[in-house]
């Protein structure tokens, strides 16, 4: 056991000797012990394995190590033990997770920008309130991944909501939205009244 490993697991160098893995690294003893036994039994090296856990040095923080395990061989006879080399890759893992999060955020921002450009383009070609209403309903349905949507308008001096645009309804269903009295108890009329 070298000083770097002692600092990593939070147990003084001299206190490692004669102790079990479970006494030094209780949360990782099962996996670590199994790999150390495997390299002895199979007389082979395990490289680039990952180990995750907590140590006494940083009990509240999950850490990740890249590890290589190897049998300790004498000139003749069976292996006399096993060893391991650890490299702490926790910061690298965190950086990778952050990179992936930023990539997802970038793609989402690009998609939002593209949607805004499309809306702007369609609105710039709109000739009247009906065209604007259709852009709003089309984009609203797409943004919300809804099955259908309507836009109704209250014209000056009228007591009825007029269907200005719809998406996802067939002609028969769309009739329910035409000329809806403002006094109606439907949530849509209630929302306009408020």
């Amino acid at each position: 056991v070298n000083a770097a490993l002692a600092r990593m697991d939070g147990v003084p160098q001299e206190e490692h000797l004669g102790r079990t893995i479970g006494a030094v690294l209780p949360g990782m003893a099962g996996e670590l012990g199994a790999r150390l036994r495997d390299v002895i039994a199979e007389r082979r090296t395990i490289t680039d394995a990952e180990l995750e856990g907590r140590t006494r040095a940083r009990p509240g923080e999950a850490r990740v190590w890249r590890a290589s395990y190897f049998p300790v061989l004498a000139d003749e006879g069976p292996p006399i033990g096993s060893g391991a080399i650890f490299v702490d890759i926790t910061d690298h893992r965190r950086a990778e997770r952050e990179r992936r999060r930023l990539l997802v955020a970038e793609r989402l921002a690009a998609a939002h920008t593209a949607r805004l450009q499309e809306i702007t383009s369609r609105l710039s070609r709109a000739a009247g309130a009906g065209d604007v209403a259709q852009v709003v309903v089309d984009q609203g349905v797409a943004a919300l991944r809804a099955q259908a949507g309507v836009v109704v308008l209250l014209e000056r001096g009228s007591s009825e909501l007029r269907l200005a645009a719809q998406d996802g309804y067939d002609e028969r269903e769309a009739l329910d939205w035409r000329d809806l009295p403002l006094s109606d108890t439907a949530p849509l009329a209630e929302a306009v009244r408020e």
Side-chain angles (χ1 to χ4, degrees):
V1 174
N2 65 13
L5 182 61
R7 280 192 305 275
M8 188 171 71
D9 62 29
V11 177
Q13 203 171 346
E14 62 278 359
E15 290 183 27
H16 281 76
L17 299 177
R19 295 178 78 182
T20 65
I21 297 169
V24 177
L25 297 166
M28 295 182 277
E31 183 178 355
L32 190 52
R35 288 194 174 149
L36 289 169
R37 285 189 299 276
D38 287 346
V39 297
I40 291 173
E42 299 171 17
R43 296 177 68 101
R44 68 177 177 91
T45 299
I46 299 173
T47 59
D48 289 329
E50 287 191 7
L51 180 67
E52 294 185 37
R54 300 175 192 278
T55 66
R56 286 186 175 93
R58 295 180 177 178
E61 183 180 2
R63 307 293 293 176
V64 183
W65 296 271
R66 180 164 286 126
S68 293
Y69 305 90
F70 53 90
V72 177
L73 304 171
D75 290 337
E76 295 178 13
I80 58 173
S82 58
I85 298 171
F86 300 95
V87 177
D88 190 332
I89 60 169
T90 306
D91 292 339
H92 175 72
R93 267 307 146 82
R94 288 181 184 146
E96 276 294 311
R97 277 196 298 271
E98 180 64 7
R99 185 183 72 77
R100 284 194 300 272
R101 186 192 69 75
L102 290 172
L103 283 173
V104 168
E106 179 184 28
R107 287 185 190 116
L108 189 58
H112 288 314
T113 300
R115 182 177 299 275
L116 286 172
Q117 288 171 337
E118 180 184 348
I119 292 169
T120 303
S121 172
R122 288 189 58 194
L123 286 173
S124 71
R125 295 188 307 268
D131 292 338
V132 171
Q134 193 63 54
V135 171
V136 170
V137 78
D138 290 346
Q139 293 301 317
V141 166
L144 297 172
R145 296 187 177 122
Q147 294 177 338
V150 298
V151 171
V152 294
L153 298 176
L154 178 62
E155 295 180 354
R156 284 195 184 127
S158 176
S159 61
E160 291 187 338
L161 298 171
R162 182 180 57 82
L163 178 65
Q166 64 90 16
D167 184 20
Y169 290 108
D170 63 30
E171 282 298 313
R172 191 175 48 81
E173 292 170 320
L175 289 174
D176 293 341
W177 300 103
R178 293 188 196 284
D179 304 323
L180 183 68
L182 187 57
S183 59
D184 198 283
T185 57
L188 190 58
E190 200 173 301
V192 173
R193 285 195 305 270
E194 291 179 2

